[in-house]
Amino acid sequence: MTYRTVNPYTNQVEHEYENTSDAAITAALTAAHARYQEWRADPDSLQMRKAVVTKLGELLRARRTALATIMTRDMGKLIGEAEGEVDLCAAFCDYYVAEADHFLAPQPIYTESGNAHLLKQALGVLVAVEPWNFPFYQIARVFIPNFLVGNPMLLKDASNCPTSAKAFCDLVAEAGAPEGSLTNLFASYDQISELIKHPLVAGVCLTGSARGGQAVASVAGAALKKSTLELGGNDAFLVLRDADLAKLKATIAPSRLYNAGQVCTSSKRYLVPAEMADQFTAMVKEVFEQVKMGDPLDRSTTLAPLSSKRAKEKLQSQVDRAIAGGATLVYGNQPVDLEGQFFMPTILTNITKDNPVYDEELFGPVAQIFTYQTEEEAIAMANDSAFGLGSTVFGADIAHARQVASQIEAGMTWINAGWASLPELPFGGVKQSGYGRELSEFGFTEFVNQHLVYEAE
Ligand code: NAP
């Protein structure tokens, strides 16, 4: 059995699911394609889809804690953070229902030789491959816009959060989405490859690791299917000399410990002026010492377990390799006396360019602190990464902070704040962090046919 909920706080197997058969996948594809054709032939069907998304938002809000609990049991996140995730999904519903008509309106193009306009049309059935770290959010941010566009979706979610995937898809059906709109598949990698190659599939979006992205995008590329990839990050958090220290301290926990540090845009590398290094390191240590590990369903817990035994083992091996490679352990990396998959918040310094983890993503509560002499050097360090997802610049002079932000090779930069995700803000990266954007109008139109219609004079 591949798809299982193993509660990372108790290590108990709570649910197991049979893999979806080839015949069921074919039936799901057939239903999805029929839906695409029906919606494409009926422009008024957008009103039905808007009503479904409105209802979905209502159901999410009405069942906030029950739904959040499913995610917590699947992958261990704190219940309050899981509730926040449900709220954010409901906000996606509001935003896209309000904007769908505008985003799908034909767009006139000025030309001297005739009349031209762009029709915004659905592309067809999409495959979505999604990770476990935000079990609802990741599905919502691709499903909601594409459903409104008229692209039905076949979902392959992470094998360690199947109960969340099932719950989300059940909720969409309960909100009134007709069969074929969103189908959850407990599918193997081979089944997903075959699906992507199928002529009735128009494209694939994946959020996950570079390894998963490479595998899925190469199948899509060979089949000439459009893909978008939202991959990992090794985000730099650049502290400028005029940073407001109180604000900075308040940003450390959300930027590194939220979701037990398992966020693609978590701040993973803190770049600090050399003369501020001791003060900053002490600040991070004070924040890390205050965490309370425990039951993620208990609202007094502030640091959740990692998502799985495998995730903990991977992080431990990276920290071990970092230290063996010359990094200094300043704090943490001690065993935690709890049976769940807990990892003690850890601070590493003196990570040199030849350290084996220098260009790796550490997916958990580990802060790497680097020092710099000049801002030029700091910007070069921020950019010295295979990844280019998010970044933070902390400084009181906003004009200067903006100037620094513009020099960072990343898809996103937050000034005087840790990472965030909002419906209207495009989310995505450059370099090995992937291509394409999710959320905002950019995310809405990734799988839209910008169909040019030109009328000669
Ligand atoms: P992963 O191993 O790549 O898994 C992500 C999804 O891809 C899962 O559903 C996985 O299925 C599937 N998958 C992997 N290889 C596949 C293949 N060859 N064929 C078909 N499906 C395949 O990623 P992860 O390590 O679980 O997720 C964490 C990563 O996601 C981190 O690197 C994080 O930074 C990144 N992430 C990025 C963003 C963003 O927006 N840029 C957001 C969140 C997370 P199984 O579970 O069955 O293996």
Coordinates of all heavy atoms in Angstrom, one line a residue, residues 78-149:
L78 N 1.0 22.3 12.9 CA 0.3 22.8 14.1 C -1.1 23.1 13.7 O -1.4 23.6 12.6 CB 0.9 24.1 14.6 CG 2.4 24.0 15.1 CD1 2.8 25.4 15.5 CD2 2.5 23.0 16.2
I79 N -2.1 22.8 14.6 CA -3.5 23.0 14.2 C -3.8 24.4 13.8 O -4.6 24.7 12.9 CB -4.4 22.5 15.4 CG1 -5.9 22.5 15.0 CG2 -4.1 23.2 16.7 CD1 -6.3 21.6 13.9
G80 N -3.2 25.4 14.5 CA -3.5 26.8 14.2 C -3.0 27.2 12.8 O -3.6 27.9 12.1
E81 N -1.8 26.6 12.5 CA -1.3 26.9 11.1 C -2.2 26.2 10.1 O -2.4 26.7 9.0 CB 0.2 26.4 11.0 CG 1.1 27.2 11.9 CD 2.6 26.7 11.8 OE1 2.9 25.7 11.2 OE2 3.4 27.4 12.4
A82 N -2.7 25.0 10.4 CA -3.6 24.3 9.5 C -4.9 25.1 9.3 O -5.4 25.2 8.2 CB -3.8 22.9 10.0
E83 N -5.4 25.7 10.4 CA -6.6 26.5 10.2 C -6.3 27.7 9.4 O -7.1 28.1 8.5 CB -7.1 26.9 11.6 CG -7.7 25.8 12.4 CD -8.0 26.1 13.9 OE1 -7.4 27.1 14.4 OE2 -8.9 25.5 14.5
G84 N -5.1 28.3 9.5 CA -4.7 29.4 8.7 C -4.7 29.0 7.2 O -5.1 29.8 6.3
E85 N -4.3 27.8 7.0 CA -4.2 27.3 5.6 C -5.6 27.2 5.0 O -5.8 27.5 3.9 CB -3.5 26.0 5.6 CG -3.3 25.4 4.2 CD -2.4 24.2 4.2 OE1 -1.6 24.0 5.1 OE2 -2.5 23.4 3.2
V86 N -6.6 26.7 5.8 CA -7.9 26.6 5.4 C -8.5 28.0 5.0 O -9.1 28.2 4.0 CB -8.8 25.9 6.4 CG1 -10.3 25.9 6.0 CG2 -8.4 24.5 6.7
D87 N -8.2 29.0 5.9 CA -8.6 30.3 5.7 C -8.1 30.9 4.4 O -8.8 31.6 3.6 CB -8.2 31.3 6.8 CG -8.8 30.9 8.2 OD1 -9.8 30.2 8.2 OD2 -8.2 31.3 9.2
L88 N -6.8 30.6 4.1 CA -6.2 31.1 2.9 C -6.8 30.5 1.6 O -7.1 31.2 0.6 CB -4.7 30.8 2.9 CG -3.8 31.4 1.8 CD1 -4.0 32.9 1.7 CD2 -2.3 31.1 2.1
C89 N -7.2 29.2 1.7 CA -7.8 28.5 0.6 C -9.2 29.2 0.3 O -9.6 29.4 -0.8 CB -8.0 27.1 0.9 SG -6.5 26.1 0.9
A90 N -9.9 29.6 1.4 CA -11.2 30.2 1.3 C -11.0 31.6 0.7 O -11.8 32.1 -0.2 CB -11.9 30.4 2.6
A91 N -9.9 32.3 1.0 CA -9.6 33.6 0.4 C -9.3 33.4 -1.1 O -9.6 34.3 -1.9 CB -8.4 34.2 1.1
F92 N -8.7 32.3 -1.5 CA -8.5 32.1 -2.9 C -9.8 32.0 -3.6 O -10.0 32.5 -4.8 CB -7.7 30.8 -3.2 CG -6.3 30.7 -2.7 CD1 -5.7 29.5 -2.6 CD2 -5.6 31.9 -2.4 CE1 -4.3 29.4 -2.2 CE2 -4.3 31.8 -1.9 CZ -3.7 30.6 -1.8
C93 N -10.8 31.4 -3.0 CA -12.1 31.3 -3.6 C -12.7 32.7 -3.8 O -13.2 33.0 -4.9 CB -13.1 30.5 -2.7 SG -12.6 28.8 -2.5
D94 N -12.7 33.5 -2.8 CA -13.2 34.9 -2.9 C -12.5 35.6 -4.0 O -13.2 36.3 -4.8 CB -13.0 35.7 -1.6 CG -13.6 35.0 -0.4 OD1 -14.5 34.2 -0.5 OD2 -13.2 35.4 0.8
Y95 N -11.2 35.6 -4.0 CA -10.4 36.4 -5.0 C -10.7 36.0 -6.4 O -11.0 36.8 -7.3 CB -8.9 36.2 -4.6 CG -8.0 36.8 -5.7 CD1 -7.8 38.2 -5.8 CD2 -7.3 36.0 -6.6 CE1 -7.0 38.7 -6.8 CE2 -6.5 36.5 -7.5 CZ -6.3 37.9 -7.6 OH -5.5 38.4 -8.6
Y96 N -10.7 34.7 -6.6 CA -10.8 34.3 -8.0 C -12.3 34.4 -8.5 O -12.5 34.6 -9.7 CB -10.3 32.8 -8.2 CG -8.8 32.9 -8.4 CD1 -7.9 32.1 -7.6 CD2 -8.2 33.6 -9.5 CE1 -6.5 32.1 -7.8 CE2 -6.8 33.6 -9.7 CZ -6.0 32.9 -8.8 OH -4.6 32.9 -9.0
V97 N -13.3 34.2 -7.6 CA -14.7 34.4 -8.0 C -14.8 35.9 -8.4 O -15.5 36.2 -9.4 CB -15.6 34.0 -6.9 CG1 -17.0 34.5 -7.2 CG2 -15.7 32.5 -6.8
A98 N -14.2 36.8 -7.6 CA -14.4 38.2 -7.9 C -13.7 38.6 -9.2 O -14.1 39.5 -9.9 CB -13.8 39.0 -6.8
E99 N -12.6 37.9 -9.6 CA -11.7 38.3 -10.7 C -12.0 37.5 -12.0 O -11.5 37.9 -13.0 CB -10.2 38.2 -10.3 CG -9.8 39.1 -9.2 CD -9.8 40.6 -9.6 OE1 -9.9 40.9 -10.8 OE2 -9.6 41.4 -8.7
A100 N -12.7 36.4 -11.9 CA -12.7 35.5 -13.1 C -13.2 36.2 -14.3 O -12.6 36.0 -15.4 CB -13.6 34.3 -12.7
D101 N -14.3 36.9 -14.2 CA -14.9 37.5 -15.4 C -13.9 38.5 -16.1 O -13.7 38.5 -17.3 CB -16.2 38.3 -15.1 CG -17.3 37.4 -14.8 OD1 -17.8 36.7 -15.7 OD2 -17.8 37.3 -13.6
H102 N -13.2 39.2 -15.2 CA -12.2 40.2 -15.7 C -11.1 39.5 -16.3 O -10.6 39.8 -17.4 CB -11.8 41.0 -14.5 CG -10.6 41.8 -14.6 ND1 -10.4 42.7 -15.6 CD2 -9.4 41.8 -13.8 CE1 -9.2 43.2 -15.4 NE2 -8.6 42.7 -14.4
F103 N -10.5 38.4 -15.7 CA -9.4 37.7 -16.2 C -9.7 37.0 -17.5 O -8.8 36.7 -18.3 CB -8.8 36.7 -15.2 CG -8.2 37.3 -14.0 CD1 -8.0 36.5 -12.8 CD2 -7.7 38.6 -14.0 CE1 -7.3 37.0 -11.7 CE2 -7.1 39.1 -12.8 CZ -6.9 38.3 -11.7
L104 N -11.0 36.6 -17.7 CA -11.4 35.8 -18.9 C -12.0 36.7 -20.0 O -12.3 36.2 -21.1 CB -12.4 34.7 -18.5 CG -11.8 33.6 -17.7 CD1 -12.9 32.6 -17.2 CD2 -10.8 32.8 -18.6
A105 N -12.1 38.0 -19.7 CA -12.7 38.9 -20.7 C -11.7 39.0 -22.0 O -10.5 39.1 -21.8 CB -12.9 40.3 -20.1
P106 N -12.3 39.0 -23.2 CA -11.5 39.1 -24.4 C -10.7 40.5 -24.2 O -11.2 41.4 -23.7 CB -12.5 39.2 -25.5 CG -13.7 38.6 -24.9 CD -13.7 38.8 -23.5
Q107 N -9.5 40.4 -24.8 CA -8.6 41.6 -24.6 C -8.4 42.2 -26.0 O -7.7 41.6 -26.8 CB -7.3 41.2 -23.9 CG -6.4 42.3 -23.6 CD -5.1 41.8 -23.1 OE1 -5.0 40.7 -22.5 NE2 -4.0 42.5 -23.5
P108 N -8.8 43.5 -26.2 CA -8.6 44.1 -27.5 C -7.1 44.4 -27.7 O -6.4 44.7 -26.7 CB -9.4 45.4 -27.5 CG -9.9 45.6 -26.1 CD -9.6 44.3 -25.3
I109 N -6.6 44.3 -28.9 CA -5.2 44.6 -29.2 C -5.2 45.7 -30.3 O -5.8 45.5 -31.3 CB -4.4 43.4 -29.7 CG1 -4.3 42.3 -28.6 CG2 -2.9 43.8 -30.0 CD1 -3.6 41.1 -29.0
Y110 N -4.5 46.8 -30.0 CA -4.5 47.8 -31.0 C -3.5 47.4 -32.2 O -2.4 47.0 -31.9 CB -4.0 49.2 -30.4 CG -3.8 50.2 -31.4 CD1 -5.0 50.8 -32.0 CD2 -2.6 50.6 -31.9 CE1 -4.8 51.8 -33.0 CE2 -2.4 51.5 -32.9 CZ -3.5 52.1 -33.4 OH -3.4 53.0 -34.4
T111 N -4.0 47.5 -33.4 CA -3.1 47.4 -34.5 C -3.6 48.3 -35.6 O -4.8 48.6 -35.7 CB -3.1 45.9 -35.1 OG1 -3.2 46.0 -36.5 CG2 -4.2 45.0 -34.6
E112 N -2.7 48.9 -36.4 CA -3.1 49.9 -37.4 C -3.8 49.3 -38.6 O -4.5 49.9 -39.3 CB -1.8 50.6 -37.9 CG -1.3 51.6 -36.8 CD -0.2 52.5 -37.4 OE1 0.3 52.3 -38.5 OE2 0.1 53.5 -36.6
S113 N -3.6 48.0 -38.8 CA -4.0 47.3 -40.0 C -5.4 46.7 -39.9 O -5.9 46.1 -40.9 CB -3.0 46.3 -40.5 OG -2.9 45.3 -39.5
G114 N -6.0 46.6 -38.7 CA -7.3 45.9 -38.6 C -7.7 45.9 -37.2 O -7.2 46.6 -36.4
N115 N -8.6 45.0 -36.9 CA -9.1 44.8 -35.5 C -8.5 43.5 -35.0 O -8.5 42.5 -35.7 CB -10.6 44.7 -35.4 CG -11.2 46.1 -35.6 OD1 -10.6 47.1 -35.1 ND2 -12.3 46.2 -36.4
A116 N -8.1 43.5 -33.7 CA -7.6 42.2 -33.2 C -8.0 42.1 -31.7 O -8.2 43.1 -31.0 CB -6.0 42.1 -33.3
H117 N -8.2 40.9 -31.3 CA -8.5 40.7 -29.8 C -8.0 39.3 -29.4 O -7.8 38.4 -30.3 CB -9.9 40.9 -29.5 CG -10.9 39.9 -30.1 ND1 -11.4 40.1 -31.4 CD2 -11.4 38.8 -29.6 CE1 -12.2 39.1 -31.6 NE2 -12.2 38.3 -30.6
L118 N -7.8 39.1 -28.1 CA -7.4 37.8 -27.6 C -8.6 37.2 -26.9 O -9.2 37.9 -26.0 CB -6.3 38.0 -26.6 CG -4.9 38.2 -27.0 CD1 -3.9 38.3 -25.8 CD2 -4.4 37.1 -28.0
L119 N -8.9 36.0 -27.2 CA -9.9 35.3 -26.5 C -9.1 34.5 -25.4 O -8.0 34.0 -25.6 CB -10.6 34.2 -27.3 CG -11.5 34.8 -28.4 CD1 -12.1 33.7 -29.3 CD2 -12.7 35.5 -27.8
K120 N -9.7 34.4 -24.2 CA -9.0 33.6 -23.1 C -9.8 32.3 -23.0 O -10.9 32.3 -22.4 CB -9.1 34.4 -21.8 CG -8.7 35.9 -21.9 CD -7.2 36.0 -22.1 CE -6.7 37.4 -22.2 NZ -6.1 38.0 -21.1
Q121 N -9.2 31.3 -23.5 CA -9.9 30.0 -23.6 C -9.2 28.9 -22.8 O -7.9 28.9 -22.7 CB -10.0 29.6 -25.0 CG -10.9 30.5 -25.8 CD -11.0 30.2 -27.2 OE1 -10.1 29.8 -27.9 NE2 -12.2 30.3 -27.8
A122 N -10.0 27.9 -22.3 CA -9.4 26.8 -21.6 C -8.6 26.0 -22.6 O -8.8 26.0 -23.8 CB -10.6 25.9 -21.1
L123 N -7.6 25.2 -22.0 CA -6.7 24.4 -22.8 C -7.2 22.9 -22.8 O -6.9 22.2 -23.7 CB -5.3 24.4 -22.2 CG -4.3 25.5 -22.6 CD1 -3.0 25.2 -22.0 CD2 -4.3 25.6 -24.1
G124 N -7.7 22.5 -21.7 CA -8.1 21.1 -21.6 C -7.8 20.5 -20.2 O -7.6 21.2 -19.3
V125 N -7.7 19.2 -20.2 CA -7.5 18.5 -18.9 C -6.1 18.6 -18.5 O -5.1 18.5 -19.3 CB -7.8 16.9 -19.1 CG1 -7.6 16.2 -17.8 CG2 -9.2 16.7 -19.6
L126 N -5.9 19.0 -17.2 CA -4.6 19.1 -16.6 C -4.3 18.0 -15.6 O -5.2 17.6 -14.9 CB -4.5 20.5 -15.9 CG -4.7 21.7 -16.8 CD1 -4.6 23.0 -15.9 CD2 -3.8 21.8 -18.0
V127 N -3.0 17.7 -15.5 CA -2.6 16.8 -14.4 C -1.9 17.7 -13.3 O -1.0 18.5 -13.7 CB -1.6 15.7 -14.9 CG1 -1.1 14.9 -13.7 CG2 -2.4 14.8 -15.9
A128 N -2.3 17.6 -12.1 CA -1.6 18.3 -11.0 C -0.9 17.3 -10.1 O -1.5 16.4 -9.6 CB -2.6 19.1 -10.2
V129 N 0.4 17.6 -9.9 CA 1.2 16.7 -9.0 C 1.6 17.6 -7.8 O 2.3 18.6 -8.0 CB 2.4 16.2 -9.7 CG1 3.3 15.3 -8.8 CG2 2.0 15.4 -11.0
E130 N 1.2 17.3 -6.6 CA 1.3 18.2 -5.5 C 2.0 17.6 -4.3 O 2.0 16.4 -4.1 CB 0.0 18.8 -5.1 CG -0.7 19.5 -6.3 CD 0.0 20.7 -6.8 OE1 0.7 21.4 -6.0 OE2 0.0 21.0 -8.0
P131 N 2.7 18.4 -3.5 CA 3.4 17.9 -2.3 C 2.6 17.9 -1.0 O 1.4 18.4 -1.0 CB 4.6 18.9 -2.2 CG 3.9 20.2 -2.6 CD 2.8 19.9 -3.6
W132 N 3.2 17.6 0.1 CA 2.6 17.3 1.3 C 2.7 18.5 2.3 O 2.0 18.5 3.3 CB 3.2 16.1 2.1 CG 4.7 16.2 2.0 CD1 5.5 15.6 1.1 CD2 5.6 17.0 2.9 NE1 6.8 15.9 1.3 CE2 6.9 16.8 2.4 CE3 5.3 17.8 4.0 CZ2 8.0 17.4 3.0 CZ3 6.4 18.4 4.6 CH2 7.7 18.2 4.1
N133 N 3.5 19.5 2.0 CA 3.8 20.5 3.1 C 2.6 21.5 3.3 O 2.5 22.0 4.5 CB 5.1 21.2 2.9 CG 5.2 22.0 1.6 OD1 4.4 21.8 0.7 ND2 6.1 22.9 1.5
F134 N 1.8 21.7 2.3 CA 0.6 22.5 2.5 C -0.5 21.7 1.8 O -0.9 22.0 0.6 CB 0.7 23.9 2.0 CG 1.6 24.7 2.8 CD1 3.0 24.9 2.4 CD2 1.2 25.4 3.9 CE1 3.8 25.6 3.1 CE2 2.1 26.2 4.7 CZ 3.4 26.3 4.3
P135 N -1.1 20.7 2.4 CA -1.9 19.7 1.7 C -3.1 20.3 1.0 O -3.5 19.9 -0.1 CB -2.3 18.7 2.8 CG -1.3 18.8 3.9 CD -0.8 20.3 3.8
F136 N -3.8 21.3 1.6 CA -5.0 21.9 1.0 C -4.5 23.1 0.0 O -5.0 23.2 -1.1 CB -5.9 22.5 2.0 CG -6.9 21.5 2.5 CD1 -6.7 20.1 2.6 CD2 -8.2 21.9 2.9 CE1 -7.6 19.2 3.0 CE2 -9.1 21.0 3.4 CZ -8.9 19.7 3.4
Y137 N -3.7 23.9 0.6 CA -3.2 25.1 -0.2 C -2.7 24.8 -1.5 O -3.0 25.4 -2.5 CB -2.2 25.8 0.7 CG -1.3 26.8 0.0 CD1 -1.7 28.2 0.0 CD2 -0.1 26.5 -0.5 CE1 -0.8 29.1 -0.6 CE2 0.8 27.4 -1.1 CZ 0.4 28.7 -1.1 OH 1.2 29.6 -1.7
Q138 N -1.8 23.7 -1.6 CA -1.2 23.4 -2.9 C -2.2 23.0 -3.9 O -2.1 23.3 -5.1 CB -0.2 22.3 -2.7 CG 1.0 22.7 -1.8 CD 1.9 23.7 -2.4 OE1 1.8 24.1 -3.5 NE2 2.8 24.2 -1.6
I139 N -3.3 22.2 -3.5 CA -4.3 21.8 -4.4 C -5.1 23.0 -4.8 O -5.4 23.3 -6.0 CB -5.2 20.7 -3.8 CG1 -4.4 19.5 -3.3 CG2 -6.2 20.3 -4.9 CD1 -5.2 18.5 -2.5
A140 N -5.5 23.8 -3.8 CA -6.4 25.0 -4.0 C -5.8 26.0 -5.0 O -6.5 26.5 -5.9 CB -6.7 25.7 -2.7
R141 N -4.5 26.2 -4.9 CA -3.9 27.3 -5.7 C -3.8 26.9 -7.2 O -3.7 27.7 -8.0 CB -2.6 27.8 -5.1 CG -1.4 27.0 -5.3 CD -0.2 27.8 -4.7 NE 1.0 27.0 -5.0 CZ 2.2 27.4 -4.7 NH1 2.4 28.6 -4.1 NH2 3.3 26.7 -5.0
V142 N -3.9 25.6 -7.5 CA -4.0 25.2 -8.9 C -5.4 24.9 -9.3 O -5.8 25.2 -10.5 CB -3.0 24.1 -9.3 CG1 -1.6 24.6 -9.3 CG2 -3.2 22.9 -8.5
F143 N -6.2 24.2 -8.4 CA -7.5 23.8 -8.8 C -8.4 25.0 -9.1 O -9.1 25.1 -10.1 CB -8.1 22.8 -7.8 CG -9.6 22.7 -8.0 CD1 -10.1 22.0 -9.1 CD2 -10.5 23.3 -7.2 CE1 -11.4 21.9 -9.4 CE2 -11.9 23.2 -7.4 CZ -12.3 22.5 -8.5
I144 N -8.5 25.9 -8.1 CA -9.5 27.0 -8.1 C -9.4 27.8 -9.4 O -10.4 27.9 -10.2 CB -9.5 27.8 -6.9 CG1 -9.9 27.0 -5.7 CG2 -10.5 29.0 -7.0 CD1 -9.7 27.6 -4.3
P145 N -8.2 28.3 -9.8 CA -8.2 29.1 -11.0 C -8.5 28.3 -12.2 O -9.2 28.7 -13.1 CB -6.8 29.7 -11.0 CG -6.0 28.9 -10.0 CD -7.0 28.4 -9.0
N146 N -8.0 27.1 -12.3 CA -8.2 26.3 -13.5 C -9.6 25.8 -13.7 O -10.1 25.7 -14.8 CB -7.2 25.1 -13.6 CG -5.8 25.6 -14.0 OD1 -5.7 26.1 -15.1 ND2 -4.8 25.6 -13.2
F147 N -10.3 25.5 -12.6 CA -11.7 25.2 -12.6 C -12.5 26.3 -13.2 O -13.3 26.1 -14.1 CB -12.2 24.8 -11.2 CG -13.6 24.5 -11.1 CD1 -14.1 23.3 -11.7 CD2 -14.5 25.3 -10.4 CE1 -15.5 23.0 -11.6 CE2 -15.8 25.0 -10.3 CZ -16.3 23.8 -10.9
L148 N -12.2 27.6 -12.8 CA -12.9 28.7 -13.3 C -12.6 28.9 -14.8 O -13.4 29.3 -15.6 CB -12.5 30.0 -12.5 CG -13.1 29.9 -11.1 CD1 -12.5 31.0 -10.2 CD2 -14.7 30.1 -11.1
V149 N -11.3 28.7 -15.2 CA -10.9 28.8 -16.6 C -11.7 27.8 -17.4 O -12.1 28.0 -18.6 CB -9.4 28.6 -16.7 CG1 -9.0 28.3 -18.2 CG2 -8.6 29.8 -16.2

